[in-house]
Amino acid sequence: MRKTHAIRFFAAALITGSFPLLAQQAPDALPLATVATEPLLVSADMREGIELSGTWHYSIDPYRSGISGFHGEAPDLGQQRWLDIDVRKTMAQDNRTMFEFDMAHAQTTSLPGSWLAAAPEMRHYQGLVWYQRHFDAPANRKGRYFLRFGAANYATTAYLNGKPLGRHEGGFTPFAFEVTQQLRDGDNQITFAVDSQATATTVPPTVTDWENYGGATRGIRLVHTPATYVDTAMVRLTTDGKLEAEAHLDGASAAGQNLHLTIAGLKIDVPGKTDAQGNWKGTIPAPRSLVRWSPENPQLYDVALSAGEDIWRDQIGFRTIERKGADILLNGKPIFLRGISMHEEEISPNPARIITPEAATALLGEIKNGLHGNYVRLSHYPHSEVMTRAADRLGLLVWSEVPVYWMVAWSNPGTLASARNMLAENILRDRNRASVVIWSVANETPVNDDRNAFLRTLIGDVRRLDPSRLVSAALLVKREEGTGAPTMTMADPLANDLDIVSINTYNGWYTGDRLSDLPGSVWHVPADRPLVFSEFGADAKSGFHSADRMQKFSEEFQAEYYRKTLEMADRVPTLRGLSPWILKDFRSPRRQNPDFQMGWNRKGLISETGQHKMAFDVLANYYTMKSKEKAK
């Protein structure tokens, strides 16, 4: 009965012309955007375009009826929220028509931002949500136009004016669709669906220790370029003192195109010409006037690459990062990473993962100016380019990570393909960020053959895509029992594949160790490469004090935990950095102690509203001491 009604309505609509002819293709069958197929649009935030942030209509779809019918077929017309029609008018004109949506009159929210904060009833919603808005496109358009999403969590399907654009998987990296031919003069309708539901084969999988912020959490723009444009470009300083550049042009005139690389602040103007595939590479000696980027002096230069009608722009700092034995060398000199870990969540009692330049500066400023740090671990996924650009400006070294977290489907080829694509999208987006010095491929993953092969594939990808940075992963260690003092051994075979051995350790919090035992801990780790304690920490609820009994979740316990763990750290000879867990209390539905947590992980050194806990000063004083040691 339902199928017959849909066919009859479809035929009537064709006769009356009440909506455009659409192929009955299920949204999940649309082409998948990957680095191999989508426009990369590196530094798109510095290109001309139309901002599409602001008010959008949204509609929940908990049973995914807009994706498929209840027998698995393509959704019927009454559920196709992307249709370019006036629902009220169409239903009023023909009583045979019926729609179970009306996006133009649905409730509204502001994007970017997760739907979890859009309305009280959305707080714990996980599933599919549709968004729609209209915008005006200019007439007499020239060149090309792209609809670019900074990120949408997790799986996205997009439409313009009722026509499918494609889909994307991954919640933390940018993607784009070319819409040059689909745009029309004047009013245009954008519709997209975001499904936040994780599965056993997604990256990350279903179980994490952070909030799953569904929705379009980063900016959406209509980007304009000439017909042939610079799709990706990279400029960096090599360890032998040269400036190395590469670019790829896309368009009919990409082959054999003359171009110029200019860095006005260094009086550099380098001519070049692309090859038959639109690629160009060039190398010149770095001028003596070049000021190397560092946390103490985060010098950035305006860089431009002109090719035909296009001018690609970025702001880039030039520095080198290397490993020599157990040392990390920044600009050829040993450095100790004085840092902390951080989730992508603004300081707020009701965060929605809205990272504005102001929000990024507030978070990173706590590290740079409050903790006297020089480094941040952006966990456990690529953070917004707003954040990495802020790190460039402020002078903070960055660990950037993909969400290969805990128990992914190691033997699933689709899962590996998703992880590799996320890693590539992350690297290609941020290769020009001087702040980014470490690419991390995983966090706290169990050791087995399938996992080792999976992660070694990712490590190989990093070394091919960007050999100029260091590779790491946050690993676990084997604890030896019956040895008196806490004794840990790095038994993970992946350690031999990494530039930096990074360890998460929570002795004294998740173990029965007394805090007084921690300084005597014994660490068996490789002697030929640097060690970073990528995590350690203890929860404390801001304002809860228990001085006499040193109860867990008190500020006193957390402060003493930091004192004793830092004493332990000082006795590890190869230690070259710290990124304790974590800067700010963050949402985590798995944490439900009614007295102290209620959906918050309380390991932050500041509360969700920015209040400093006692341990903040403990770490700040330690980092002040470490910075003075360097000065000597």
Side-chain angles (χ1 to χ4, degrees):
M1 184 72 178
R2 185 182 180 99
K3 183 176 180 181
T4 303
H5 168 80
I7 293 173
R8 184 168 61 245
F9 170 54
F10 185 76
L14 286 177
I15 295 171
T16 62
S18 60
F19 66 90
L21 175 61
L22 293 174
Q24 293 293 288
Q25 184 177 19
D28 56 2
L30 296 177
L32 181 68
T34 68
V35 291
T37 61
E38 67 178 298
L40 296 177
L41 291 171
V42 170
S43 299
D45 56 329
M46 301 190 74
R47 282 193 174 276
E48 174 188 339
I50 297 174
E51 292 292 339
L52 297 175
S53 299
T55 302
W56 289 69
H57 293 277
Y58 74 95
S59 172
I60 66 170
D61 190 0
Y63 294 112
R64 297 176 177 81
S65 55
I67 299 296
S68 64
F70 51 76
H71 289 155
E73 74 280 10
D76 66 38
L77 294 171
Q79 295 288 350
Q80 294 181 16
R81 288 167 171 81
W82 63 87
L83 294 178
D84 186 21
I85 58 172
D86 184 325
V87 168
R88 289 183 177 178
K89 180 179 179 181
T90 303
M91 290 184 68
Q93 288 177 341
D94 187 343
N95 66 7
R96 295 173 299 173
T97 64
M98 188 272 289
F99 295 96
E100 296 186 274
F101 68 91
D102 187 353
M103 293 298 297
H105 298 95
Q107 62 265 54
T108 61
T109 189
S110 182
L111 296 182
S114 172
W115 63 63
L116 298 189
E121 63 270 20
M122 296 294 289
R123 172 62 189 90
H124 293 289
Y125 180 81
Q126 296 295 337
L128 187 69
V129 172
W130 294 83
Y131 294 94
Q132 189 177 98
R133 67 159 289 174
H134 289 250
F135 72 96
D136 288 331
N140 302 316
R141 293 180 302 279
K142 294 182 180 180
R144 299 165 70 179
Y145 289 82
F146 303 87
L147 181 61
R148 183 183 187 265
F149 295 78
N153 187 28
Y154 173 78
T156 306
T157 309
Y159 302 81
L160 181 63
N161 297 325
K163 298 179 181 179
L165 298 175
R167 60 191 178 94
H168 179 266
E169 180 177 341
F172 308 100
T173 46
F175 57 98
F177 305 102
E178 182 165 7
V179 296
T180 307
Q181 300 303 318
Q182 291 93 329
L183 282 175
R184 60 196 180 198
D185 296 349
D187 179 69
N188 287 261
Q189 177 205 82
I190 296 177
T191 308
F192 68 94
V194 184
D195 194 338
S196 69
Q197 189 64 59
T199 72
T201 59
T202 56
V203 182
T206 54
V207 180
T208 67
D209 188 17
W210 70 82
E211 183 64 81
N212 187 27
Y213 284 100
T217 56
R218 298 178 193 162
I220 305 169
R221 297 181 76 230
L222 184 70
V223 178
H224 178 220
T225 73
T228 295
Y229 73 100
V230 180
D231 190 42
T232 181
M234 179 275 300
V235 187
R236 65 184 171 211
L237 178 67
T238 66
T239 54
D240 59 355
K242 297 178 181 178
L243 287 178
E244 181 179 80
E246 63 181 58
H248 173 73
L249 275 59
D250 186 88
S253 301
Q257 178 65 252
N258 292 319
L259 53 79
H260 278 266
L261 172 69
T262 57
I263 307 176
L266 296 174
K267 298 180 180 180
I268 287 175
D269 187 342
V270 179
K273 191 172 185 178
T274 60
D275 63 16
Q277 287 73 46
N279 298 317
W280 170 77
K281 290 185 178 181
T283 303
I284 62 168
R288 299 185 61 171
S289 59
L290 183 145
V291 177
R292 295 192 177 205
W293 185 97
S294 69
E296 296 74 26
N297 186 13
Q299 174 70 48
L300 300 176
Y301 291 95
D302 291 325
V303 178
L305 188 69
S306 58
E309 297 179 353
D310 191 31
I311 301 179
W312 176 90
R313 293 182 174 88
D314 205 343
Q315 288 187 316
I316 301 176
F318 300 108
R319 55 99 194 102
T320 60
I321 192 77
E322 307 170 78
R323 176 184 74 87
K324 185 176 182 180
D327 283 331
I328 300 170
L329 305 181
L330 177 69
N331 296 321
K333 297 179 180 179
I335 187 171
F336 187 91
L337 302 178
R338 309 187 309 273
I340 198 163
S341 299
M342 190 179 81
H343 266 298
E344 186 178 25
E345 195 178 88
E346 69 272 31
I347 298 173
S348 169
N350 187 30
R353 192 167 279 165
I354 304 171
I355 303 299
T356 62
E358 295 75 19
T361 300
L363 287 162
L364 297 182
E366 290 282 4
I367 303 171
K368 178 76 174 183
N369 304 315
L371 291 175
H372 312 297
N374 61 10
Y375 155 66
V376 59
R377 180 186 178 207
L378 298 181
S379 309
H380 285 295
Y381 38 76
H383 286 219
S384 168
E385 58 200 311
V386 173
M387 190 71 74
T388 53
R389 284 198 182 279
D392 268 10
R393 291 192 303 272
L394 290 172
L396 281 173
L397 299 164
V398 167
W399 161 310
S400 184
E401 190 164 283
V402 290
V404 178
Y405 183 90
W406 289 358
M407 280 292 294
V408 305
W410 304 117
S411 60
N412 186 293
T415 303
L416 177 59
S418 294
R420 296 182 73 182
N421 190 66
M422 291 178 197
L423 182 65
E425 288 176 336
N426 187 34
I427 291 174
L428 293 171
R429 188 196 76 178
D430 277 350
R431 285 191 303 171
N432 287 315
R433 302 284 68 78
S435 54
V436 178
V437 294
I438 300 169
W439 300 119
S440 171
V441 298
N443 177 77
E444 293 184 356
T445 53
V447 178
N448 58 63
D449 291 343
D450 288 336
R451 170 266 200 179
N452 296 344
F454 189 109
L455 295 187
R456 281 172 176 147
T457 299
L458 297 187
I459 292 168
D461 287 349
V462 173
R463 299 204 186 280
R464 282 188 294 273
L465 287 168
D466 186 9
S468 71
R469 288 177 171 87
L470 305 178
V471 187
S472 193
L475 306 178
L476 299 172
V477 292
K478 178 181 178 181
R479 179 170 174 135
E480 300 177 25
E481 301 298 335
T483 56
T487 302
M488 278 66 63
T489 299
M490 172 49 66
D492 192 328
L494 199 72
N496 296 324
D497 297 86
L498 303 172
D499 296 311
I500 297 175
V501 177
S502 301
I503 295 173
N504 293 355
T505 174
Y506 287 93
N507 288 345
W509 180 253
Y510 291 122
T511 69
D513 301 300
R514 296 185 182 277
L515 297 185
S516 58
D517 294 335
L518 299 186
S521 299
V522 178
W523 289 88
H524 298 299
V525 295
D528 63 342
R529 63 195 65 207
L531 172 69
V532 169
F533 283 140
S534 39
E535 290 183 27
F536 62 84
D539 287 69
K541 184 178 180 180
S542 178
F544 173 64
H545 296 280
S546 178
D548 294 338
R549 297 180 60 191
M550 286 287 289
Q551 181 181 339
K552 285 189 175 182
F553 290 102
S554 70
E555 289 197 35
E556 287 79 9
F557 185 96
Q558 186 188 47
E560 185 66 8
Y561 172 93
Y562 266 77
R563 292 187 191 99
K564 296 304 182 183
T565 301
L566 292 172
E567 283 186 48
M568 176 196 74
D570 279 337
R571 300 183 185 186
V572 182
T574 59
L575 188 71
R576 296 297 182 268
L578 301 169
S579 49
W581 195 257
I582 187 170
L583 175 66
K584 184 188 75 69
D585 289 351
F586 61 94
R587 287 199 187 277
S588 177
R590 68 186 289 121
R591 308 295 180 173
Q592 290 295 327
N593 183 299
D595 294 324
F596 306 114
Q597 297 169 313
M598 285 306 295
W600 294 88
N601 187 308
R602 296 294 186 188
K603 292 186 181 67
L605 298 187
I606 64 175
S607 71
E608 68 273 21
T609 57
Q611 300 299 308
H612 287 200
K613 304 176 190 178
M614 294 171 63
F616 187 98
D617 288 336
V618 174
L619 187 61
N621 292 336
Y622 179 82
Y623 282 161
T624 298
M625 177 194 69
K626 296 296 286 188
S627 65
K628 290 179 179 177
E629 287 179 2
K630 177 187 175 183
K632 293 178 183 179

